[in-house]
Amino acid sequence: MNLHKVLRNVKHIAQFTGDRGRSASPSFEHYQNRSLRGFTSAANPNRGSTRNSTARHVQLYQFLTSRSSSYKAMCKPNSVLVYTGGDTALYSDIRSRLNSLLPADEITVFNVSIEALRKQPWAEKSTVCVILASTKDLDDDAWEKIQAYFNQNGKIIFVCQNKLLASIAGSDSSKTNASILRFAFGNQSSKLKETNKEFVKFLEKNMKKLPKSHAINETFRSKDVSVGANFTVVLKKEPDAPLFLYMQNNGSLHASALFSDATTQQLIAPNSNLLRDSLQSVGVSVCETSIPALTKGILLAEYDSILESTSGIRFGEEIGLQPRILLRKSDDVKDLGLPEATAKLLPIEVVNRESEAGTSKEFDLNLYFEQLRSKLGQVILVVDVATTTMDIIESVTHGIPSLENIVVVANRQIQGRGRGGNEFLCPRGMAMFNFSFTLKKSHRVTKHLPIVQHIFCVALVEAVRNLSGYPDFPLRIKWPNDLYCDRSHKVGGMLLQCKSRDDSFQLSIGCGMNVSNEKPTLCLNDMLPKEAETRITREQLIAETLNKFTYYIRDYDSNGPENFRRKYHEYWLHSQQEVLLSDFNERVTIRGIDENGYLQVRSKSNPDKIFSIGDDGNTFDMMKGLIRHKY
C-alpha cells in the first residue's frame, strides 16, 4: 500500500456542530507565549528550571529578535525553473548541463509542468531564472504568468528550438512576432501600438540584412516610455553562431529575457558556452561546478552480534533494487577490494564495531551510539557521497528483509528528493538520513498511518530542544512535513513512505535537516547565539530523534491520539491561523489536525461547517496564507 493512497486530496467532512465558540486545541495566544516572544521564565511559569535557564531564554530571545533586520539568510533556496512541455528526456539533458554551471548547494532546479506554469504562484523572489525549452501548450494563461514574472524582475531564457525566431523573416513573421510582442508589451493597448509597430519594423529590417551579412548587432530602444514601453532589445548574431535577441526592461526592476534560435542541443552541448553565456546575460551567477564522485558505504551495528544473527545477508553478490548493493566483510575487502560506486551499484564494507575500518571522517559513530538509546538505529549504514538515502534504504530492505532497525546516513547527497519528487539540496553539514521499521497492523497508529509523519516531526523538535539546552528553541512544525524557524526560514523537511507486508506495515522515513551548513538557507546552529554552551551535531540529532520517535510511537499505542495531538499543536505554527483555500476560494480558520493528521478547518462564511484537508497533492503556502493544489 502506498501512502499516497492513504492520503486523499481533499477530504470534506462537513459537520454541523454547536461548538462554534470552541477550538479543538488551546488558544493561539497560549502557543504564542511559547514562541519567539515568549523566551522568558514568565512565559513558562510551570516549566522545571534548568541551569541558568532564564538567562539563556533571554539571551536566545535577544539574539533572534536583534538579527531580524540584519540577518541575510534566504527564506528558501533560490531556484531555476525549467519548462520542457512534458519532455522528461529534454529536462534531464538540460539539468545535467546546469549541474556543471550553477553554484553547488545554492540553487535548486525544478521541472515545472504546464499546470504549475498556469496556476501556481511560482513568480517569487527566490525564482532567479525560468528556462522555457518548449512552446508546447503555452496558452494565454501561461503567457500571462510568464509576462507577469518578467515585469516583476523576471529573468527568462527561451530555448525553444527555432520556434520563436527562426521564421521572423518569413511570410508568417507577423504571427511569429505576436508571441514576442505579447511577451514584451503585454496586451496590445492602443497606447503601445506605435511602439509595437516600430519594433516589428526593426525585426523585419534586420532579418532581411542577415542573409547577406551573416552577422548582426543592432539595438532597439522603445520611445514611448511614458506608457510603460521602457525596453531595450539587442539583436545579435556572429558568423557560425546562433541568433540571439536580448530584451531588457530598463526600469528599476531590470528584468531581462533572452530569445535564441539555437537548438537545445547546441545550448547544452558539453563543449558549448552558449548556456553559460545565456545565464550570465540575464544575471544568473555561474561557476565551474563538479559533481562529487559517489563513494562506498560502511555498515556496522552497535553490537556485532546484531549483524551476526541477522539471517539472509548475502556477501559478495549484488542484491536489492537500484542502486544494487554489494556487501563484503572487511577481511575480504583487504583481499578482494570493492568495485567503484556508481548510480547503479553501491559497494558496502561490513565492519566490526571496534574496527578502525568503521571510523568515518565526517560522521562520529561513537558519538552517535553514545546518544542512541533505542533499538531503532542500532544498525547504521554511512555513505559519504550518495545518490539519495531514499533509494538506498529501499534497496537494502528489499535485499535483506530481515535487517530491521537500520538507518542510512549520507554526508552528501547529489540527487536528494523532497515532497512530490522535487529536488532537495543536500550539502555537507546537513543531517540526511532514512530509516526503516515495521509496525504490526494491530498497532494503534496503523489505523491512522499519515499521523506517523507528525509523530516524527514532534520527535525532531524535541530532540533539537534537548540538545540545544533551550526548552523554547524556536524550531516549529509547518504542516504537513516541514520544519521552520521564525515562521519564515525553512530548515528541514521529511518524507514518509509505506508498504503493506502480510500482517505489518513497512514504513520508511527520510529527513533532511540543516544542522551546521550555512547554505542554502539557515541551519540550527545559526539559530543559537554565539555564547551558547553547546552546538548541535548531526550524530546526536539523528540518534536523539530516533530515541524520541520510538518514545512517541509507543506512547501513541498506549495512550491514544489525544495526548499526542496536544503535543503536536504545541510545536506547530498554525493554531487559529486564517488561510484561503485557493481551489475553492473559501477562507477558513485552522482548528488543528484530525485523527488522521489531516488539517481540520472551520469555514469563515459558515462557522457550522468543519472539514479536513489531506496533504496529498496540497501545499501550504504559509507566507501567502493560502492552501492550494500542487501541480
Side-chain angles (χ1 to χ4, degrees):
M1 181 185 71
N2 190 294
L3 181 62
H4 289 301
K5 294 182 179 179
V6 178
L7 300 170
R8 298 302 179 196
N9 183 23
V10 176
K11 185 188 70 169
H12 282 273
I13 318 175
Q15 299 175 349
F16 296 90
T17 172
D19 65 339
R20 194 174 296 184
R22 291 188 292 136
S23 171
S25 59
S27 69
F28 178 67
E29 290 76 13
H30 170 81
Y31 294 123
Q32 283 294 91
N33 286 335
R34 295 178 179 267
S35 68
L36 247 175
R37 296 192 292 274
F39 288 171
T40 65
S41 57
N44 298 278
N46 299 319
R47 188 184 295 277
S49 61
T50 59
R51 184 180 58 174
N52 300 324
S53 60
T54 301
R56 288 190 301 189
H57 293 173
V58 174
Q59 182 187 58
L60 183 58
Y61 168 68
Q62 291 173 341
F63 169 73
L64 288 166
T65 54
S66 66
R67 74 180 169 85
S68 59
S69 61
S70 60
Y71 201 78
K72 301 300 182 183
M74 292 183 291
C75 294
K76 61 181 181 179
N78 285 333
S79 60
V80 171
L81 306 185
V82 180
Y83 174 71
T84 61
D87 188 335
T88 56
L90 177 59
Y91 171 75
S92 179
D93 289 342
I94 295 174
R95 182 68 186 94
S96 296
R97 185 70 178 110
L98 289 173
N99 281 340
S100 64
L101 296 173
L102 297 178
D105 308 327
E106 293 183 30
I107 300 179
T108 57
V109 180
F110 295 108
N111 187 6
V112 63
S113 67
I114 184 59
E115 290 82 7
L117 204 62
R118 292 168 181 157
K119 299 178 181 180
Q120 284 189 195
W122 49 266
E124 302 175 319
K125 288 183 178 180
S126 59
T127 304
V128 297
C129 182
V130 174
I131 297 177
L132 295 171
S134 172
T135 53
K136 181 182 178 182
D137 298 325
L138 288 183
D139 55 13
D140 288 344
D141 290 339
W143 274 110
E144 184 177 341
K145 284 292 183 76
I146 293 167
Q147 185 208 334
Y149 168 68
F150 178 73
N151 290 331
Q152 298 170 16
N153 199 23
K155 315 292 185 183
I156 304 177
I157 298 174
F158 286 83
V159 187
C160 297
Q161 300 190 29
N162 303 317
K163 292 184 179 179
L164 284 174
L165 291 182
S167 60
I168 285 179
S171 60
D172 63 341
S173 61
S174 59
K175 181 179 179 181
T176 304
N177 290 338
S179 293
I180 299 176
L181 295 175
R182 177 170 50 180
F183 170 74
F185 306 119
N187 294 328
Q188 306 302 300
S189 66
S190 58
K191 294 181 180 180
L192 294 178
K193 281 186 177 179
E194 191 62 32
T195 299
N196 292 340
K197 190 181 298 182
E198 292 297 321
F199 184 48
V200 170
K201 290 180 180 178
F202 166 80
L203 290 176
E204 292 178 346
K205 174 184 175 182
N206 287 292
M207 292 304 296
K208 287 178 180 178
K209 294 192 316 184
L210 191 59
K212 298 178 181 179
S213 61
H214 302 291
I216 193 169
N217 190 353
E218 299 290 340
T219 301
F220 169 84
R221 290 182 176 86
S222 58
K223 299 177 182 179
D224 204 355
V225 177
S226 61
V227 293
N230 190 14
F231 290 88
T232 297
V233 179
V234 177
L235 194 63
K236 185 176 182 179
K237 187 183 187 308
E238 296 179 355
D240 302 319
L243 171 68
F244 288 97
L245 186 150
Y246 176 75
M247 181 181 296
Q248 179 172 319
N249 182 333
N250 297 323
S252 59
L253 296 177
H254 299 295
S256 53
L258 185 73
F259 297 81
S260 170
D261 75 340
T263 66
T264 306
Q265 296 308 316
Q266 281 179 293
L267 281 162
I268 64 177
N271 59 347
S272 169
N273 290 324
L274 290 177
L275 185 56
R276 165 191 284 276
D277 295 342
S278 298
L279 289 167
Q280 287 180 321
S281 71
V282 296
V284 178
S285 297
V286 298
C287 61
E288 290 295 334
T289 302
S290 58
I291 302 173
L294 298 172
T295 63
K296 72 173 184 179
I298 295 174
L299 179 70
L300 72 161
E302 185 173 14
Y303 307 104
D304 294 339
S305 59
I306 296 175
L307 288 178
E308 292 169 357
S309 61
T310 300
S311 61
I313 297 182
R314 289 172 284 170
F315 296 97
E317 62 177 290
E318 296 181 15
I319 58 176
L321 302 173
Q322 186 167 320
R324 304 277 283 177
I325 59 173
L326 173 69
L327 294 100
R328 193 164 281 168
K329 292 183 178 180
S330 288
D331 291 341
D332 294 330
V333 170
K334 293 177 183 178
D335 298 330
L336 303 174
L338 279 173
E340 293 294 321
T342 68
K344 296 182 178 180
L345 177 66
L346 173 62
I348 299 172
E349 182 175 357
V350 182
V351 304
N352 295 326
R353 176 75 166 84
E354 303 301 327
S355 169
E356 290 186 4
T359 59
S360 173
K361 293 181 180 179
E362 289 198 36
F363 193 86
D364 190 332
L365 289 159
N366 289 327
L367 186 60
Y368 167 78
F369 283 122
E370 285 172 5
Q371 190 71 37
L372 188 70
R373 298 186 302 277
S374 72
K375 288 186 177 181
L376 188 58
Q378 282 188 322
V379 179
I380 184 169
L381 171 59
V382 180
V383 185
D384 186 51
V385 181
T387 49
T388 167
T389 57
M390 291 177 62
D391 291 343
I392 294 173
I393 192 75
E394 186 175 5
S395 184
V396 170
T397 55
H398 182 274
I400 318 172
S402 58
L403 187 59
E404 298 181 345
N405 300 320
I406 184 172
V407 59
V408 177
V409 176
N411 294 325
R412 171 79 187 270
Q413 289 187 134
I414 61 174
Q415 294 177 11
R417 295 199 305 273
R419 189 166 170 239
N422 288 333
E423 178 177 308
F424 194 88
L425 290 180
C426 304
R428 294 186 185 275
M430 284 189 71
M432 296 168 277
F433 61 105
N434 258 83
F435 62 95
S436 179
F437 60 101
T438 58
L439 288 174
K440 295 287 187 182
K441 291 183 178 178
S442 58
H443 196 292
R444 204 167 184 173
V445 79
T446 61
K447 305 300 186 294
H448 312 286
L449 277 175
I451 206 76
V452 173
Q453 66 184 331
H454 303 311
I455 293 176
F456 177 83
C457 288
V458 167
L460 184 54
V461 171
E462 288 216 343
V464 170
R465 292 185 173 204
N466 287 353
L467 295 171
S468 70
Y470 293 94
D472 287 309
F473 191 89
L475 182 66
R476 296 288 185 270
I477 301 168
K478 172 185 170 290
W479 183 90
N481 56 358
D482 288 330
L483 286 303
Y484 266 64
C485 168
D486 291 0
R487 300 183 65 89
S488 59
H489 294 82
K490 181 177 177 178
V491 292
M494 61 82 62
L495 284 175
L496 170 67
Q497 294 179 315
C498 175
K499 294 180 181 178
S500 181
R501 178 190 289 179
D502 299 326
D503 63 344
S504 301
F505 288 108
Q506 182 179 13
L507 296 101
S508 174
I509 290 179
C511 177
M513 193 73 188
N514 296 346
V515 178
S516 58
N517 49 301
E518 296 180 355
K519 298 176 182 179
T521 57
L522 184 73
C523 68
L524 295 177
N525 284 325
D526 284 338
M527 295 162 65
L528 287 167
K530 293 180 180 178
E531 298 78 11
E533 297 175 5
T534 60
R535 295 282 139 178
I536 299 171
T537 69
R538 296 182 302 131
E539 296 89 342
Q540 290 174 307
L541 177 64
I542 295 172
E544 185 64 10
T545 300
L546 296 176
N547 294 340
K548 290 294 183 181
F549 181 75
T550 300
Y551 167 79
Y552 276 110
I553 285 289
R554 290 175 178 171
D555 182 73
Y556 191 101
D557 195 38
S558 300
N559 301 313
E562 290 306 316
N563 285 342
F564 168 73
R565 278 195 283 178
R566 280 194 293 270
K567 178 63 68 175
Y568 178 82
H569 291 150
E570 180 179 345
Y571 292 156
W572 80 334
L573 287 165
H574 311 300
S575 294
Q576 297 301 306
Q577 182 178 353
E578 291 186 11
V579 296
L580 174 68
L581 303 183
S582 63
D583 293 330
F584 303 99
N585 196 30
E586 182 171 9
R587 298 204 68 83
V588 298
T589 301
I590 297 174
R591 302 177 80 239
I593 56 171
D594 65 15
E595 61 184 5
N596 291 307
Y598 299 149
L599 201 64
Q600 193 175 74
V601 300
R602 184 194 298 274
S603 171
K604 293 287 291 182
S605 59
N606 180 8
D608 287 334
K609 180 183 176 184
I610 297 173
F611 56 97
S612 293
I613 303 167
D615 66 335
D616 185 17
N618 291 307
T619 184
F620 194 152
D621 193 332
M622 191 169 61
M623 303 306 112
K624 294 183 174 66
L626 58 86
I627 298 173
R628 53 184 168 77
H629 188 73
K630 190 170 186 177
Y631 295 95

